[in-house]
PDB file of all heavy atoms in Angstrom:
ATOM      1  N   VAL A  62    -216.993 -74.694-177.003  1.00 94.00           N
ATOM      2  CA  VAL A  62    -218.207 -75.431-177.045  1.00 94.00           C
ATOM      3  C   VAL A  62    -218.073 -76.854-176.579  1.00 94.00           C
ATOM      4  O   VAL A  62    -218.899 -77.372-175.736  1.00 94.00           O
ATOM      5  CB  VAL A  62    -218.931 -75.300-178.426  1.00 94.00           C
ATOM      6  CG1 VAL A  62    -220.091 -76.346-178.482  1.00 94.00           C
ATOM      7  CG2 VAL A  62    -219.465 -73.900-178.633  1.00 94.00           C
ATOM      8  N   ALA A  63    -217.072 -77.505-177.039  1.00 94.00           N
ATOM      9  CA  ALA A  63    -216.792 -78.887-176.667  1.00 94.00           C
ATOM     10  C   ALA A  63    -216.493 -78.992-175.164  1.00 94.00           C
ATOM     11  O   ALA A  63    -217.056 -79.895-174.527  1.00 94.00           O
ATOM     12  CB  ALA A  63    -215.644 -79.469-177.448  1.00 94.00           C
ATOM     13  N   VAL A  64    -215.741 -78.058-174.645  1.00 95.00           N
ATOM     14  CA  VAL A  64    -215.436 -78.053-173.204  1.00 95.00           C
ATOM     15  C   VAL A  64    -216.719 -77.834-172.389  1.00 95.00           C
ATOM     16  O   VAL A  64    -216.954 -78.508-171.367  1.00 95.00           O
ATOM     17  CB  VAL A  64    -214.335 -77.037-172.875  1.00 95.00           C
ATOM     18  CG1 VAL A  64    -214.202 -76.841-171.364  1.00 95.00           C
ATOM     19  CG2 VAL A  64    -212.980 -77.450-173.457  1.00 95.00           C
ATOM     20  N   LEU A  65    -217.552 -76.877-172.816  1.00 95.00           N
ATOM     21  CA  LEU A  65    -218.803 -76.600-172.078  1.00 95.00           C
ATOM     22  C   LEU A  65    -219.719 -77.798-172.029  1.00 95.00           C
ATOM     23  O   LEU A  65    -220.300 -78.154-171.005  1.00 95.00           O
ATOM     24  CB  LEU A  65    -219.534 -75.434-172.710  1.00 95.00           C
ATOM     25  CG  LEU A  65    -218.915 -74.047-172.620  1.00 95.00           C
ATOM     26  CD1 LEU A  65    -219.732 -72.978-173.432  1.00 95.00           C
ATOM     27  CD2 LEU A  65    -218.910 -73.655-171.125  1.00 95.00           C
ATOM     28  N   LEU A  66    -219.849 -78.481-173.180  1.00 95.00           N
ATOM     29  CA  LEU A  66    -220.718 -79.667-173.258  1.00 95.00           C
ATOM     30  C   LEU A  66    -220.118 -80.810-172.480  1.00 95.00           C
ATOM     31  O   LEU A  66    -220.868 -81.540-171.834  1.00 95.00           O
ATOM     32  CB  LEU A  66    -220.957 -80.065-174.729  1.00 95.00           C
ATOM     33  CG  LEU A  66    -221.738 -79.033-175.549  1.00 95.00           C
ATOM     34  CD1 LEU A  66    -221.851 -79.514-176.974  1.00 95.00           C
ATOM     35  CD2 LEU A  66    -223.125 -78.799-174.933  1.00 95.00           C
ATOM     36  N   LEU A  67    -218.799 -80.991-172.497  1.00 96.00           N
ATOM     37  CA  LEU A  67    -218.210 -82.005-171.675  1.00 96.00           C
ATOM     38  C   LEU A  67    -218.388 -81.774-170.195  1.00 96.00           C
ATOM     39  O   LEU A  67    -218.627 -82.731-169.407  1.00 96.00           O
ATOM     40  CB  LEU A  67    -216.687 -82.086-171.955  1.00 96.00           C
ATOM     41  CG  LEU A  67    -216.333 -82.892-173.199  1.00 96.00           C
ATOM     42  CD1 LEU A  67    -214.862 -82.815-173.511  1.00 96.00           C
ATOM     43  CD2 LEU A  67    -216.762 -84.369-173.049  1.00 96.00           C
ATOM     44  N   ILE A  68    -218.328 -80.553-169.777  1.00 94.00           N
ATOM     45  CA  ILE A  68    -218.590 -80.242-168.359  1.00 94.00           C
ATOM     46  C   ILE A  68    -219.980 -80.661-167.997  1.00 94.00           C
ATOM     47  O   ILE A  68    -220.239 -81.254-166.965  1.00 94.00           O
ATOM     48  CB  ILE A  68    -218.411 -78.736-168.050  1.00 94.00           C
ATOM     49  CG1 ILE A  68    -216.920 -78.352-168.139  1.00 94.00           C
ATOM     50  CG2 ILE A  68    -219.001 -78.298-166.738  1.00 94.00           C
ATOM     51  CD1 ILE A  68    -216.614 -76.912-168.122  1.00 94.00           C
ATOM     52  N   GLY A  69    -220.964 -80.295-168.843  1.00 94.00           N
ATOM     53  CA  GLY A  69    -222.356 -80.659-168.551  1.00 94.00           C
ATOM     54  C   GLY A  69    -222.607 -82.188-168.540  1.00 94.00           C
ATOM     55  O   GLY A  69    -223.581 -82.633-167.948  1.00 94.00           O
ATOM     56  N   ILE A  70    -221.773 -82.947-169.175  1.00 93.00           N
ATOM     57  CA  ILE A  70    -221.956 -84.396-169.202  1.00 93.00           C
ATOM     58  C   ILE A  70    -221.162 -85.069-168.151  1.00 93.00           C
ATOM     59  O   ILE A  70    -221.665 -85.920-167.479  1.00 93.00           O
ATOM     60  CB  ILE A  70    -221.555 -84.939-170.648  1.00 93.00           C
ATOM     61  CG1 ILE A  70    -222.482 -84.464-171.651  1.00 93.00           C
ATOM     62  CG2 ILE A  70    -221.439 -86.472-170.628  1.00 93.00           C
ATOM     63  CD1 ILE A  70    -221.986 -84.666-173.105  1.00 93.00           C
ATOM     64  N   VAL A  71    -219.889 -84.703-167.959  1.00 94.00           N
ATOM     65  CA  VAL A  71    -218.977 -85.408-167.055  1.00 94.00           C
ATOM     66  C   VAL A  71    -219.235 -85.090-165.565  1.00 94.00           C
ATOM     67  O   VAL A  71    -219.228 -85.965-164.759  1.00 94.00           O
ATOM     68  CB  VAL A  71    -217.551 -85.098-167.437  1.00 94.00           C
ATOM     69  CG1 VAL A  71    -216.573 -85.697-166.415  1.00 94.00           C
ATOM     70  CG2 VAL A  71    -217.198 -85.719-168.833  1.00 94.00           C
ATOM     71  N   VAL A  72    -219.399 -83.841-165.228  1.00 92.00           N
ATOM     72  CA  VAL A  72    -219.529 -83.430-163.793  1.00 92.00           C
ATOM     73  C   VAL A  72    -220.645 -84.155-163.095  1.00 92.00           C
ATOM     74  O   VAL A  72    -220.500 -84.698-162.022  1.00 92.00           O
ATOM     75  CB  VAL A  72    -219.617 -81.919-163.606  1.00 92.00           C
ATOM     76  CG1 VAL A  72    -219.916 -81.543-162.178  1.00 92.00           C
ATOM     77  CG2 VAL A  72    -218.321 -81.266-164.082  1.00 92.00           C
ATOM     78  N   PRO A  73    -221.868 -84.240-163.738  1.00 91.00           N
ATOM     79  CA  PRO A  73    -222.885 -84.970-162.994  1.00 91.00           C
ATOM     80  C   PRO A  73    -222.635 -86.478-162.853  1.00 91.00           C
ATOM     81  O   PRO A  73    -223.274 -87.158-162.051  1.00 91.00           O
ATOM     82  CB  PRO A  73    -224.150 -84.774-163.917  1.00 91.00           C
ATOM     83  CG  PRO A  73    -223.922 -83.592-164.683  1.00 91.00           C
ATOM     84  CD  PRO A  73    -222.400 -83.507-164.825  1.00 91.00           C
TER      85      PRO A  73
END
Side-chain angles (χ1 to χ4, degrees):
V62 165
V64 169
L65 289 174
L66 295 176
L67 278 173
I68 288 170
I70 292 169
V71 172
V72 173

